């Protein structure tokens, strides 16, 4: 029985698939909305198809028909709507009732349920039937036939339990598959029909666009380049008849050679590019610049090239004019951007519209910060009064150019001077549309002028100091020496002790003042040696905290290795101490003092070299405080001699001037960075010494017991040559009190006379360098002709340059500068006498 059922089902499905062909023909034109008669006809045809399926059905029992009408009616409800489905249901139900039998009522129920499920599914997918897929159609078929299987339970006399096991496999497997296959065939037909409709509409639109569009359009055969069609706009543009254009090839109207024209067609067909510019010839022989937009299309089953031709001659002309103007504007813009002078462009009200990079670099304001602001809100220093700006505005608003100098303020608060030219720019209406301000930063010039003035002041004071140094030092030698000698003789209870002590202390202060005067003017006598600046700074750091007090924290960062440079150790100590004491004064409520030392490599372009120092390795000694800072106006004068901001009696104004003089005379430079309330940093740059360290230890004295005034065991004879009688007397008394035999002469000739009188008894010649008639070096040259081994000690109160002209080096170990003290002279004489003679060494 099972094989009979399966054979019947397969026969039924075969008949169903045969009917499907006719079903497809009947439904090939499904657009039946608004056509009730056609929809009635389709419904009648589908009903007859359902009858045909039932006629080929399997007769399970008398009056019990099993067939695939559910497939037909389910598909009818899904794809053909209510009217056609109602007709098909009526016809197929009538036939089933006519057939009669025990399953008639169930059969009608299957017909109605299948159609109903189809209509319900259609309701939810009404506008998207062409999007149905096999999966959804299979689900739909399963729903229809699951309902059919459920309706079999309405069979009378328990037939359902006999029938269902035999037909269930076909109902739940084969019928849903058949429904899906038949439904998908209809979906494909729907898609094909929709595509055909779209194609027809597209062709209609294309034809309408092609014929009625005012844009020139051409259809080209890509094989031979022949124009197969041209629209009326092309006829009007080229001035040729439509037939004439249709018979032409593209290179007949294009100025491109045939080879290039074919290449452009090939590129367009392969979509290498979709547009290009060319020139086309018109019927009257003129040529027009055109832009061709093209792409492949299919006409009559063959590929063609569709081209849209746009006349761009006027646009090309305008673009060429604009390009020329842009080139000029670009040239001007480039020149404006690159110029070293700051430039500002404002509107007539003074609001900034543009600034060039030079302005940004000068002021520190970015383009975004400057645009939209008025210069008075951006860089106004507040120095110039209202009248100054009224005159400026009256000038430029009248259309005239304003030129002048003014002081402005940078973003960081720093003031600067600039020369400015403001030019009004008139618009097309003749009115002023903009102002262009071209600026020139005068800071460098003013700095150079300030430095020149400072240098001139230093030179003037230096010349003055150098000019009086000799006489002043001679006087101080006498004052200090005589005071010391007197103090050595006077009793401790003498009423003159206090006065003599004050004279001596005043003389010492005068000596220090003279040294400072010569230091800042770079005319002091330096005794440079190669020293380790690290060691010197380390030693000073032991003393500086005690001098500054507990309120100042002292920190340092010094290198571990020695830092060699060539300078006078005592003078360099004075530099560091002066800067430290200045820092203390700038931090009345306490703060931090930092001393750093490192090595840097300076290049030619480094401004600190100021064009007067060689590039190379330098030691950088930094002294930085967290004090009150130095105002910009004070920084311009801080190294001037006698300039001070301290109250009267609190400073001489020579501290920083002395520092400046010592550093520059040592071959270095000094740089200052300071902001009010943010502290001050002094950077001192000294050349790194290529030489090794020197043995600077003094030679052992001849007689350690010979302190000033001690005459025990001294037998040497000293010839003193000094043209100043008072100095000669003081020097004689100092050396006689030290136990030496002294011969005095007030000139070179007198000295030679004494030499003749005492040919073998003179051990040391102590002579002034600069004397009338015969200088000290000239005298020594004459003496050594007679006494080659005699020892020599030079003395002078003149500045370095004068000594160099006379052939004496201040760093010579056989030299002592005036004013000298009793102790200094005694120690120096012992040192020279202990040293090897000129030809002993």
């Amino acid at each position: 029985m099972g094989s009979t059922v399966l054979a019947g089902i397969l026969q039924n499905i075969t008949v169903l698939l045969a009917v499907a062909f006719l079903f497809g023909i009947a439904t090939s034109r499904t657009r039946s909305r608004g056509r009730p008669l056609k929809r009635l006809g389709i419904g009648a045809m589908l009903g007859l198809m359902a009858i045909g399926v039932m006629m080929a059905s399997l007769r399970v029992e008398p009056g019990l028909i099993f067939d695939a009408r559910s497939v037909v009616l389910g598909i009818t409800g899904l794809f053909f709507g209510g009217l056609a489905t109602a007709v098909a249901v009526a016809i197929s139900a009538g036939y089933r009732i006519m057939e009669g039998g025990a399953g008639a009522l169930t059969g009608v129920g299957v017909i109605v349920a299948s159609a109903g499920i189809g209509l319900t599914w259609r309701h939810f997918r009404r506008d998207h039937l062409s999007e149905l897929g096999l999966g959804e159609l299979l689900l739909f078929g399963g729903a229809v036939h699951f309902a059919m299987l459920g309706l079999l339970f309405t069979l009378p006399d328990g037939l359902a339990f006999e029938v269902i096991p035999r037909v269930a496999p076909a109902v739940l497997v084969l019928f849903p598959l058949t429904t899906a296959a038949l439904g998908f065939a209809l979906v494909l037909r729907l898609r094909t029909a929709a595509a055909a409709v779209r194609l027809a509409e597209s062709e209609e639109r294309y034809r309408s666009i092609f014929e009625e569009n005012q844009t020139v359009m051409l259809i080209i055969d890509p094989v031979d380049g022949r124009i197969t069609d041209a629209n009326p706009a092309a006829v009007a543009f080229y001035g040729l008849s439509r037939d004439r254009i249709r018979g032409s090839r593209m290179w007949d109207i294009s100025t491109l050679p045939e080879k290039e024209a074919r290449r452009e067609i090939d590129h367009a067909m392969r979509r290498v590019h979709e547009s290009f510019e060319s020139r086309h010839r018109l019927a009257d022989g003129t040529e027009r610049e055109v832009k061709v937009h093209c792409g492949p299309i299919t006409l009559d089953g063959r590929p063609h090239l569709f081209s849209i031709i746009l006349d761009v001659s006027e646009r090309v002309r305008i673009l060429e004019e604009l390009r020329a103007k842009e080139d000029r504007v670009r040239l001007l813009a480039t020149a404006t951007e690159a110029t070293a002078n700051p430039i500002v462009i404002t509107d007539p009200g003074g609001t900034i519209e543009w600034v060039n990079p030079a302005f940004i670099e000068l002021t520190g304001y970015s383009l975004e910060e400057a645009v939209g602001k008025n210069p008075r809100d951006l860089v106004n220093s507040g120095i110039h009064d209202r009248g100054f700006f009224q005159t400026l505005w009256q000038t430029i608003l009248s259309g005239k150019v304003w030129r002048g100098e003014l002081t402005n303020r940078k973003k960081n608060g720093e003031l600067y001077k600039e020369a400015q030219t403001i030019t009004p720019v008139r618009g097309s209406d003749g009115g002023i549309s903009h102002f262009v301000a071209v600026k020139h930063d005068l800071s460098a010039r003013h700095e150079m002028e300030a430095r020149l003035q400072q240098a001139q002041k230093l030179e003037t004071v230096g010349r003055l100091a150098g000019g009086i140094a000799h006489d002043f030092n001679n006087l101080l030698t006498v004052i200090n020496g005589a005071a010391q000698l007197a103090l050595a003789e006077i009793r401790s209870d003498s009423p003159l002790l206090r006065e003599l002590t004050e004279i001596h202390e005043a003389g010492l202060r005068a000596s220090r003042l003279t040294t400072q005067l010569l230091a800042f003017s770079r005319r002091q006598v330096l005794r440079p040696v190669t020293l380790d600046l690290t060691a010197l700074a380390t030693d000073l750091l032991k003393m500086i905290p005690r001098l500054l007090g507990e309120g100042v924290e002292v920190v340092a960062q010094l290198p571990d290795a020695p830092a060699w440079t060539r300078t006078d150790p005592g003078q360099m100590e004075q530099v560091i101490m002066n800067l430290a004491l200045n820092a203390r004064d700038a931090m009345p409520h306490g703060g931090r003092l930092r001393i750093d030392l490192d090595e840097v490599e300076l290049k030619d372009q480094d401004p600190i070299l100021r064009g007067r120092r060689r590039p190379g390795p330098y030691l950088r000694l930094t002294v930085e405080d967290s004090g009150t800072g130095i105002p910009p106006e004070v920084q311009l004068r801080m190294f001037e001699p006698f300039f001070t901001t301290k109250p009267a009696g609190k400073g001489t104004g020579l501290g920083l001037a002395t520092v400046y003089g010592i550093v520059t005379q040592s071959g270095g430079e000094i740089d200052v960075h300071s902001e009010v309330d943010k502290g001050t940093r002094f950077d001192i740059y000294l050349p790194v010494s290529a030489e090794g360290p020197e043995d600077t230890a003094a030679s052992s004295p001849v007689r350690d017991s010979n302190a000033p005034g001690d005459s025990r065991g001294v037998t040497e004879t000293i010839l003193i040559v000094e043209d100043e009688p008072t100095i000669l007397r003081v020097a004689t008394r100092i050396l006689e009190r030290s136990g030496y035999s002294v011969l005095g002469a007030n000139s070179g000739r007198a000295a030679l006379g004494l030499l003749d009188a005492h040919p073998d008894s003179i051990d040391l010649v102590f002579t002034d360098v600069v004397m009338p008639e015969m200088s000290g070096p000239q005298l020594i040259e004459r003496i050594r002709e007679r006494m080659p081994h005699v020892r020599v000690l030079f003395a002078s109160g003149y500045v370095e340059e004068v000594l160099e002209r006379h052939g004496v080096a201040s760093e010579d170990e056989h030299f002592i500068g005036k004013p000298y003290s009793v102790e200094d002279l005694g120690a120096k004489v012992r040192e020279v006498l202990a040293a090897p003679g000129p030809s002993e060494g």
Side-chain angles (χ1 to χ4, degrees):
M1 181 64 181
S3 59
T4 303
V5 172
L6 180 60
I9 291 171
L10 292 176
Q11 178 184 1
N12 199 260
I13 291 174
T14 302
V15 173
L16 178 64
L17 293 176
V19 173
F21 176 72
L22 297 174
F23 190 84
I25 295 175
T27 59
S28 60
R29 298 184 179 273
T30 59
R31 294 178 61 83
S32 57
R33 289 183 184 177
R35 298 179 182 178
L37 291 177
K38 184 172 182 178
R39 290 160 64 192
L40 287 172
I42 291 174
M45 184 177 293
L46 294 172
L48 292 175
M49 288 181 182
I51 292 174
V53 172
M54 285 187 284
M55 290 175 66
S57 62
L58 170 67
R59 305 281 174 162
V60 180
E61 296 288 343
L64 183 60
I65 303 173
F66 182 72
D67 55 58
R69 77 188 85 119
S70 56
V71 175
V72 175
L73 292 167
I75 290 296
T76 301
L78 178 62
F79 286 96
F80 298 99
L83 183 58
T85 301
V87 173
V89 167
I91 293 174
S92 58
Y95 175 78
R96 181 65 186 91
I97 292 171
M98 184 182 67
E99 282 282 325
L105 185 60
T106 299
V108 172
V110 169
I111 292 171
V112 173
S114 300
I117 292 172
L119 288 172
T120 302
W121 209 285
R122 174 187 177 86
H123 174 74
F124 291 105
R125 298 289 283 168
R126 185 182 188 93
D127 297 326
H128 303 284
L129 292 177
S130 62
E131 298 176 5
L132 294 174
L134 277 172
E136 185 176 354
L137 289 169
L138 187 61
L139 181 64
F140 168 71
V144 170
H145 292 93
F146 187 80
M148 172 185 171
L149 198 64
L151 287 171
L152 292 181
F153 284 101
T154 62
L155 292 172
D157 302 326
L159 288 174
F161 296 101
E162 181 182 350
V163 173
I164 289 175
R166 289 188 287 171
V167 301
V171 172
L172 294 179
V173 178
L174 295 178
F175 281 4
L177 289 173
T178 305
T179 304
L182 185 59
F184 194 66
L186 284 175
V187 167
L188 293 178
R189 285 191 174 277
L190 284 175
R191 293 177 183 175
T192 302
V197 170
R198 288 196 298 271
L199 178 61
E201 291 175 348
S202 176
E203 289 177 352
E204 182 63 27
R205 286 196 300 271
Y206 159 74
R207 180 54 54 185
S208 174
I209 292 171
F210 187 78
E211 293 294 334
E212 298 176 11
N213 203 295
Q214 299 302 310
T215 303
V216 177
M217 298 181 180
L218 301 176
I219 305 297
I220 303 163
D221 188 335
V223 176
D224 57 6
R226 188 178 301 277
I227 300 172
T228 60
D229 202 357
N231 69 344
V235 172
F237 176 68
Y238 290 107
L240 299 171
S241 67
R242 195 164 190 172
D243 291 338
R244 176 80 177 274
I245 296 176
R246 285 173 175 170
S248 302
R249 289 180 169 82
M250 271 308 297
W251 44 88
D252 294 330
I253 62 174
S254 173
T255 60
L256 291 176
E258 179 181 348
K259 184 176 181 179
E260 292 186 26
R262 286 184 180 275
R263 184 171 64 249
E264 293 295 342
I265 292 173
D266 178 63
H267 286 171
M269 292 299 295
R270 292 190 292 113
R271 297 187 183 276
V272 175
H273 59 63
E274 296 180 350
S275 66
F276 63 93
E277 292 192 3
S278 180
R279 294 177 69 86
H280 282 188
R281 284 184 290 266
L282 307 186
D284 59 5
T286 60
E287 295 181 358
R288 304 290 287 178
E289 295 283 346
V290 296
K291 185 163 189 176
V292 182
H293 296 271
C294 49
I297 61 170
T298 300
L299 296 175
D300 300 327
R302 292 183 59 233
H304 285 74
L305 183 66
F306 177 63
S307 296
I308 297 176
I309 315 297
L310 300 177
D311 182 6
V312 295
S313 301
E314 185 64 17
R315 191 196 72 183
V316 170
R317 183 188 66 78
I318 294 173
L319 285 176
E320 288 177 351
E321 292 180 357
L322 288 175
R323 193 173 293 114
K325 291 180 180 179
E326 286 177 357
D327 288 341
R328 290 194 295 272
V329 170
R330 190 178 297 109
L331 177 62
L332 292 174
T334 301
T336 304
E337 288 274 355
T339 184
N341 289 84
I343 297 176
V344 178
I345 299 177
T346 73
D347 65 11
T351 300
I352 296 174
E353 294 186 356
W354 182 83
V355 297
N356 71 338
F359 175 87
I360 296 171
E361 182 178 359
L362 172 64
T363 64
Y365 289 103
S366 65
L367 179 64
E368 293 75 17
E369 290 174 319
V371 171
K373 303 285 180 38
N374 194 294
R376 66 172 173 265
D377 302 324
L378 203 66
V379 296
N380 187 13
S381 64
I383 291 178
H384 304 286
D385 59 18
R386 183 186 299 272
F388 176 87
F389 290 107
Q390 284 180 342
T391 302
L392 185 156
W393 276 101
Q394 287 173 359
T395 302
I396 60 178
L397 288 174
S398 66
K400 298 178 182 178
V401 176
W402 181 88
R403 294 181 177 88
E405 292 187 7
L406 63 163
T407 300
N408 279 334
R409 187 182 301 275
K410 298 181 182 180
K411 184 178 179 179
N412 62 8
E414 179 184 345
L415 298 179
Y416 68 97
K417 289 191 175 183
E418 63 181 11
Q420 192 171 151
T421 300
I422 304 178
T423 304
V425 178
R426 296 190 181 276
S428 57
D429 59 355
I432 294 175
S433 63
H434 293 86
F435 294 114
V436 178
V438 180
K439 304 163 175 283
H440 178 67
D441 182 15
L442 300 177
S443 302
R445 190 185 80 182
H446 280 277
E447 182 179 357
M448 289 181 63
E449 289 176 353
R451 288 187 179 276
L452 179 60
Q453 291 174 359
Q454 183 180 21
Q456 290 172 340
K457 289 179 182 179
L458 292 176
E459 184 66 22
T460 300
V461 176
R463 289 185 180 277
L464 175 62
I468 68 172
H470 173 260
D471 293 338
F472 201 46
N473 284 331
N474 281 346
L475 292 174
L476 289 173
T477 300
V478 175
I479 293 171
N480 292 345
Q484 274 193 284
L485 290 172
L487 285 170
E489 297 291 342
I490 197 168
R491 293 174 53 180
S492 59
D493 58 351
S494 174
L496 298 177
L497 179 61
R498 181 176 180 181
E499 282 72 13
L500 285 173
T501 301
E502 290 183 354
I503 291 172
H504 183 232
E505 291 178 352
L508 292 177
R509 288 196 299 273
S511 297
R512 288 194 293 270
L513 182 60
T514 305
T515 301
Q516 286 182 312
L517 284 170
L518 293 175
F520 76 76
S521 64
R522 293 166 294 177
R523 284 176 165 78
Q524 85 274 36
V525 177
L526 291 182
R527 293 175 175 80
V529 297
T530 302
L531 60 85
D532 177 10
L533 199 55
T534 301
L536 186 144
T538 301
D539 289 341
L540 288 177
L541 282 169
K542 300 175 183 176
M543 180 188 353
I544 288 175
R546 294 196 297 270
L547 293 177
L548 302 187
E550 295 181 356
V552 177
E553 178 189 7
V554 179
V555 294
Q557 185 172 349
L558 305 178
D560 296 330
W564 301 107
T565 188
R566 189 166 180 80
T567 186
D568 186 314
Q571 300 290 351
M572 191 49 57
E573 287 181 0
Q574 185 178 353
V575 167
I576 298 175
M577 293 302 295
N578 277 356
L579 293 179
L581 293 173
N582 270 9
R584 180 196 61 187
D585 295 341
M587 298 183 289
H589 305 295
R592 171 179 288 192
L593 175 68
R594 185 176 188 88
I595 298 178
D596 294 342
L597 178 63
D598 61 350
E599 183 174 329
V600 295
E601 186 76 19
L602 297 182
K603 308 296 184 182
D604 281 322
Q605 63 270 23
D606 284 320
I608 187 60
L609 295 178
R610 297 187 173 93
R612 60 188 182 186
R613 305 295 182 196
R614 292 182 180 179
Y618 280 76
L619 296 179
R620 178 173 59 189
L621 176 66
T622 300
V623 180
E624 183 177 9
D625 66 65
S626 60
T628 56
I630 306 173
E633 60 273 14
V634 174
Q635 291 184 40
L636 296 174
R637 303 185 60 192
M638 60 192 300
F639 293 124
E640 289 183 11
F642 307 112
F643 175 77
T644 180
T645 58
K646 296 178 181 178
K650 296 295 184 180
T652 62
L654 290 175
L656 289 179
T658 301
V659 169
Y660 179 84
I662 293 172
V663 171
T664 53
Q665 192 173 359
S666 298
E669 291 292 344
I670 185 168
D671 200 20
V672 184
H673 300 275
S674 183
E675 292 186 44
V676 176
D677 297 328
K678 293 185 179 180
T680 302
R681 186 179 81 244
F682 287 89
D683 289 318
I684 295 171
Y685 296 85
L686 296 172
V688 172
S689 177
E691 304 174 4
E694 298 178 355
D695 181 9
T696 58
S699 300
S700 299
V702 178
R703 301 173 180 84
D704 292 340
S705 61
N706 282 348
D710 187 355
S711 59
R712 292 175 297 173
V714 176
T715 60
E716 289 91 342
T717 299
I718 299 174
L719 172 61
I720 302 177
V721 187
E722 173 61 62
D723 62 318
E724 286 289 337
T726 54
I727 296 178
L728 179 59
R729 287 194 298 271
V730 169
T732 299
R733 291 180 59 195
I734 291 173
L735 294 177
E736 285 179 342
R737 293 184 74 257
S738 295
Y740 298 104
S741 298
V742 180
L743 301 174
N746 60 4
S747 67
R749 291 185 182 278
L752 291 174
L754 288 174
L755 190 66
D756 291 337
H758 304 82
D760 299 320
S761 61
I762 297 177
D763 299 291
L764 172 68
V765 178
F766 176 37
T767 178
D768 193 8
V769 175
V770 181
M771 296 182 295
E773 298 181 4
M774 186 185 302
S775 68
Q778 290 173 335
L779 171 63
I780 296 304
E781 186 178 352
R782 296 275 300 274
I783 290 176
R784 281 192 168 146
E785 291 175 357
R786 307 178 190 183
M787 301 175 62
H789 306 303
V790 71
R791 292 171 173 79
V792 177
L793 176 60
F794 289 109
S796 180
Y798 277 105
V799 295
E800 185 83 22
E801 58 192 49
V802 176
L803 296 177
E804 290 176 354
R805 287 201 301 267
H806 286 82
V808 176
S810 61
E811 65 268 24
D812 195 319
E813 62 181 3
H814 295 169
F815 175 85
I816 187 170
K818 298 177 183 177
Y820 45 75
S821 66
V822 172
E823 292 82 0
D824 291 342
L825 180 57
K828 195 67 177 178
V829 168
R830 290 196 301 275
E831 177 186 337
V832 175
L833 287 172
S839 60
E840 297 173 11

